[in-house]
């Protein structure tokens, strides 16, 4: 039994160490693979399209895993305004990104979207997501307000709880709606210490849940992320695998699962000692 106690504790420590690495990301232009990766229970998806506006955006979308300690959930897809490579490395640069668009206004800036039709068995749709950007913190309220939209039948449901504001650089940061923000850059305001996350983006939101209700028949959804003000530094939206579902997804986060495993080992040890 002592061997089992040691094995459980060692396993918990070993697994806990794994989640501190940057996410593993694979670029993909396969719209069906991306859409199906986030599809959950009670949802049927069809006619998926990956749409880009800009050049050199072949690596702007992809699938990721190992994101529990950085993104907040383990796996899913990401859409970026440049390259998925910014997600798969530690924060070693303040200017990661790919300039894939033409200068001069939003129409010329990088835009990437995943669009598909879907039906819901429950008449509802829910999913979980995280917005991240290299524009933090130096470009907050500086005219570089990258954002994204989650368009349910053309209506944006990427809104902050309570305020109804869109999720963007200017609306979610160290000083605005800070409860939904996680800072990952050392030179932020003194009241907003860096979390030192092993991901390139200088700031990320907490996990947010989007909700649509009262649906019937065939509906259209579009995940759309785009530059504002310039087209250099990247922003990204992460969507949790399997969370685009007809019921509210409340999976156990990987970090809590690991903590539970560690506590289980400790509890077992205590019982034996007693």
């Amino acid at each position: 039994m002592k061997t089992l106690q040691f094995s459980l504790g060692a396993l918990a420590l070993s697994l806990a160490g794994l989640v501190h690495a940057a996410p593993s990301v694979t670029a993909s232009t396969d719209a069906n693979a991306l859409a199906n990766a986030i599809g959950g229970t009670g949802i049927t998806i069809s006619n998926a399209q990956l749409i880009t506006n800009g050049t050199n955006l072949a690596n702007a979308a992809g699938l990721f895993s190992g994101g529990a300690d950085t993104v907040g959930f383990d796996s899913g897809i990401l859409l970026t305004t440049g390259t998925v490579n910014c997600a798969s490395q530690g924060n070693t640069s303040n200017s990661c990104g790919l300039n894939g668009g033409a200068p001069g206004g939003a129409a010329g800036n990088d835009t990437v979207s995943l669009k598909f039709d879907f039906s819901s068995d429950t008449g509802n749709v829910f999913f979980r997501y995280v917005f991240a950007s290299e524009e933090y913190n130096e470009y907050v309220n500086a005219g570089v307000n990258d954002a994204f939209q989650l368009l349910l039948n053309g209506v944006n449901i990427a809104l902050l709880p309570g305020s109804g504001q869109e999720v963007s650089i200017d609306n979610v940061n160290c000083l605005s709606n800070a409860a939904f923000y996680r800072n990952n850059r050392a030179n932020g305001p003194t009241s907003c210490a860096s979390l030192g996350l092993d991901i390139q983006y200088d700031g990320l939101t907490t996990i947010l849940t989007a909700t649509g209700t009262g649906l019937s028949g065939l509906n259209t959804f579009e995940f759309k992320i785009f530059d504002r003000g310039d087209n250099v530094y990247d922003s990204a939206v992460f969507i949790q695998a399997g969370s685009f579902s007809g019921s509210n997804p409340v999976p156990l986060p990987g970090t809590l699962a690991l903590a539970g495993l560690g506590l289980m080992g400790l509890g077992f040890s205590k019982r034996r000692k007693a």
Side-chain angles (χ1 to χ4, degrees):
M1 299 305 291
K2 289 183 178 179
T3 301
L4 178 57
Q5 293 170 26
F6 174 79
S7 298
L8 284 171
L11 178 60
L13 290 173
S14 176
L15 290 174
L18 290 177
V19 297
H20 288 284
S24 175
V25 183
T26 301
S28 176
T29 58
D30 187 335
N32 288 317
L34 295 170
N36 289 333
I38 61 173
T41 58
I43 295 291
T44 301
I45 292 175
S46 59
N47 302 319
Q49 306 172 66
L50 182 65
I51 305 165
T52 62
N53 175 36
T55 58
N56 302 317
L57 293 178
N59 294 326
L63 300 99
F64 74 93
S65 61
D69 196 54
T70 50
V71 178
F73 41 79
D74 184 66
S75 61
I77 70 170
L78 71 158
L79 306 176
T80 77
T81 58
T83 172
V84 297
N85 292 335
C86 292
S88 59
Q89 52 188 288
N91 197 2
T92 57
S93 169
N94 292 323
S95 58
C96 187
L98 173 68
N99 181 357
N109 288 341
D110 305 333
T111 302
V112 175
S113 70
L114 176 66
K115 186 176 183 179
F116 51 80
D117 297 327
F118 76 96
S119 59
S120 170
D121 293 347
T122 65
N124 303 319
V125 66
F126 305 86
F127 61 91
R128 297 178 5 133
Y129 66 96
V130 167
F131 174 65
S133 182
E134 273 290 85
E135 304 287 5
Y136 289 114
N137 290 290
E138 65 269 40
Y139 294 110
V140 172
N141 296 319
V144 183
N145 190 26
D146 288 2
F148 68 98
Q149 296 175 342
L150 307 176
L151 300 171
L152 174 57
N153 297 325
V155 177
N156 182 28
I157 62 171
L159 304 175
L160 289 171
S163 70
Q165 293 177 298
E166 73 168 6
V167 180
S168 66
I169 302 294
D170 288 354
N171 288 343
V172 187
N173 52 67
C174 284
L175 302 177
S176 294
N177 296 299
F180 303 112
Y181 179 67
R182 293 179 294 153
N183 184 39
N184 197 37
R185 188 173 181 188
N187 68 342
T190 55
S191 60
C192 193
S194 173
L195 296 175
L197 302 175
D198 198 6
I199 195 169
Q200 188 70 261
Y201 300 111
D202 288 342
L204 305 88
T205 68
T206 58
I207 299 174
L208 300 171
T209 300
T211 302
T213 59
L215 306 175
S216 62
L218 196 65
N219 301 271
T220 300
F221 208 96
E222 184 174 12
F223 296 89
K224 184 176 183 180
I225 187 162
F226 51 93
D227 289 321
R228 279 186 183 148
D230 71 15
N231 48 26
V232 182
Y233 299 169
D234 276 7
S235 294
V237 59
F238 296 81
I239 304 101
Q240 184 176 22
S243 72
F244 193 90
S245 64
S247 56
N248 197 357
V250 191
L252 184 67
T255 50
L256 292 181
L258 291 169
L261 180 58
L263 291 173
M264 182 178 71
L266 290 173
F268 182 80
S269 177
K270 288 180 179 179
R271 287 196 296 272
R272 291 298 301 162
K273 289 180 179 178

